[in-house]
Amino acid sequence: MDESIAALIKPDYTDSVENVYRSFALAAISATGSLDVVRHCVLSDDLDSPSWIPALSLEPTGDAFTLRDDTFTTSGITSASIDIMSTSHLLSCKGFIADRIDGLGCMWSKGWDSGTVLQTQNTLDPYGTFEAAQEAIWKSLVACHARPTEYLDADYGSLLATPALAKADLPEQTPLKDLIVSFIFEWCVQYLAGDAEFKIAGRPLRDYCWKEVVPEQIDAVHLRDALMQRDRINLSRRLITTDMGYVGMAPEKVERGDVVAVLFGCSMPMVLRQSMGESGDVRWKVVGDCYLHGIMDGESMGWGRIAEGLVLC
């Protein structure tokens, strides 16, 4: 544990588990000026604690996108601005609602069954061109990462060639042929088949997949790396679209109508679900972090949205 965080924690062996986790979360925020600790929260019906307090005892499944906290700058150069409410269960943090979830892609936990798709309702395209939307899709599939701790600077667009490659007549005992019969390749093909009719920027996903492929132009090692990263990111996550037409990846438990919030001091967008307090006040439950292509580098900070205190419960 970072010494700056440890210095703020006062051990109390009589304290409840929830209070211990709460103290850790607040110490992490105070010591780092970052709100990234909430990225490790898991929305679960089995937990009685507030959604903004990470349940450190749970086995992580696709935890916090398995990405480092310093990869993206969704909230620009802001620092966490929080207020501990009168009740220890509430945390007010400064930020704004950037967008709202519209469509939901197929589910990993259901074997990428196309029946789990909740079709996108709008046809908006914030990317402008077919090629830009296509890039947004394959970058979303890997959360713009080559590895969990390595920002992507290569072209992983060949992920969208996998359906065509699966039908190609390839020579035996070649690296590409060996890759095509692997599980990670088969899983990618199944995944894209499950989302084939899922609409992004007004087009079904199948339209963005390559229609023809020249095997000699595809590097098997490069594609293998892309497939492995796609597999990591897809674990317990699904493709999403938003009311503004953006595409990304979010936890499977996301629902249409959940909001995408930019919280000051948090490196990634957070999916929040509205919950009403006893007095009718608006509160928000943390669903998890998400990758939303087009706002990861602070673009939404220039949209002119008014920051407010979002109360997490």
Side-chain angles (χ1 to χ4, degrees):
M1 181 184 298
D2 189 283
E3 291 184 3
S4 62
I5 299 176
L8 297 176
I9 297 176
K10 307 301 180 185
D12 182 352
Y13 296 99
T14 66
D15 212 350
S16 67
V17 173
E18 179 183 318
N19 282 339
V20 170
Y21 291 167
R22 174 179 176 274
S23 296
F24 167 77
L26 294 177
I29 296 170
S30 178
T32 64
S34 167
L35 207 60
D36 276 327
V37 67
V38 301
R39 292 183 52 226
H40 299 270
C41 296
V42 178
L43 185 65
S44 173
D45 295 332
D46 299 328
L47 298 175
D48 294 327
S49 58
S51 65
W52 60 271
I53 299 177
L56 303 177
S57 60
L58 291 183
E59 183 72 22
T61 301
D63 179 52
F65 264 104
T66 57
L67 304 177
R68 287 170 25 176
D69 290 340
D70 60 356
T71 304
F72 299 112
T73 54
T74 300
S75 62
I77 60 173
T78 60
S79 297
S81 177
I82 66 170
D83 181 28
I84 310 300
M85 308 295 285
S86 56
T87 166
S88 62
H89 295 292
L90 302 179
L91 179 74
S92 177
C93 53
K94 194 173 183 180
F96 58 88
I97 296 172
D99 209 340
R100 194 174 300 271
I101 304 297
D102 179 14
L104 306 174
C106 62
M107 298 176 68
W108 165 83
S109 63
K110 302 297 183 181
W112 306 296
D113 183 352
S114 60
T116 62
V117 171
L118 185 61
Q119 189 58 270
T120 302
Q121 295 180 325
N122 74 76
T123 59
L124 297 178
D125 180 7
Y127 302 112
T129 66
F130 175 85
E131 291 75 19
Q134 190 177 50
E135 179 178 319
I137 293 169
W138 64 256
K139 283 190 174 180
S140 293
L141 294 179
V142 296
C144 204
H145 269 68
R147 293 181 178 84
T149 59
E150 183 179 324
Y151 189 80
L152 182 66
D153 59 4
D155 187 333
Y156 277 3
S158 56
L159 283 171
L160 299 179
T162 51
L165 272 175
K167 301 175 183 178
D169 183 18
L170 301 175
E172 299 292 335
Q173 297 182 337
T174 59
L176 196 55
K177 181 67 174 182
D178 292 342
L179 181 61
I180 284 176
V181 298
S182 68
F183 284 123
I184 57 171
F185 184 91
E186 180 183 346
W187 291 335
C188 184
V189 172
Q190 291 178 7
Y191 172 71
L192 293 175
D195 269 342
E197 300 303 319
F198 184 56
K199 291 184 178 180
I200 300 166
R203 294 171 177 260
L205 178 61
R206 57 177 166 76
D207 282 4
Y208 295 101
C209 293
W210 298 12
K211 302 301 183 290
E212 297 180 356
V213 61
V214 179
E216 292 78 14
Q217 295 179 354
I218 295 181
D219 186 312
V221 174
H222 194 66
L223 178 56
R224 179 206 62 192
D225 291 345
L227 290 167
M228 291 177 66
Q229 180 62 7
R230 187 218 64 84
D231 190 55
R232 294 187 191 101
I233 295 301
N234 186 221
L235 184 65
S236 296
R237 301 189 184 94
R238 64 201 306 190
L239 271 176
I240 59 168
T241 54
T242 69
D243 284 355
M244 294 176 64
Y246 288 95
V247 63
M249 291 287 281
E252 277 199 347
K253 292 187 177 181
V254 69
E255 297 178 357
R256 172 175 283 160
D258 288 346
V259 303
V260 178
V262 175
L263 305 180
F264 287 9
C266 192
S267 65
M268 294 186 70
M270 296 299 300
V271 178
L272 306 179
R273 183 167 300 157
Q274 185 170 315
S275 176
M276 304 303 293
E278 295 179 358
S279 60
D281 56 309
V282 175
R283 301 175 181 178
W284 302 94
K285 288 186 176 181
V286 175
V287 179
D289 61 2
C290 71
Y291 177 90
L292 198 62
H293 191 78
I295 75 167
M296 301 305 297
D297 296 319
E299 294 90 339
S300 66
M301 297 295 291
W303 290 356
R305 302 291 171 85
I306 298 176
E308 57 183 314
L310 300 173
V311 178
L312 306 184
C313 62

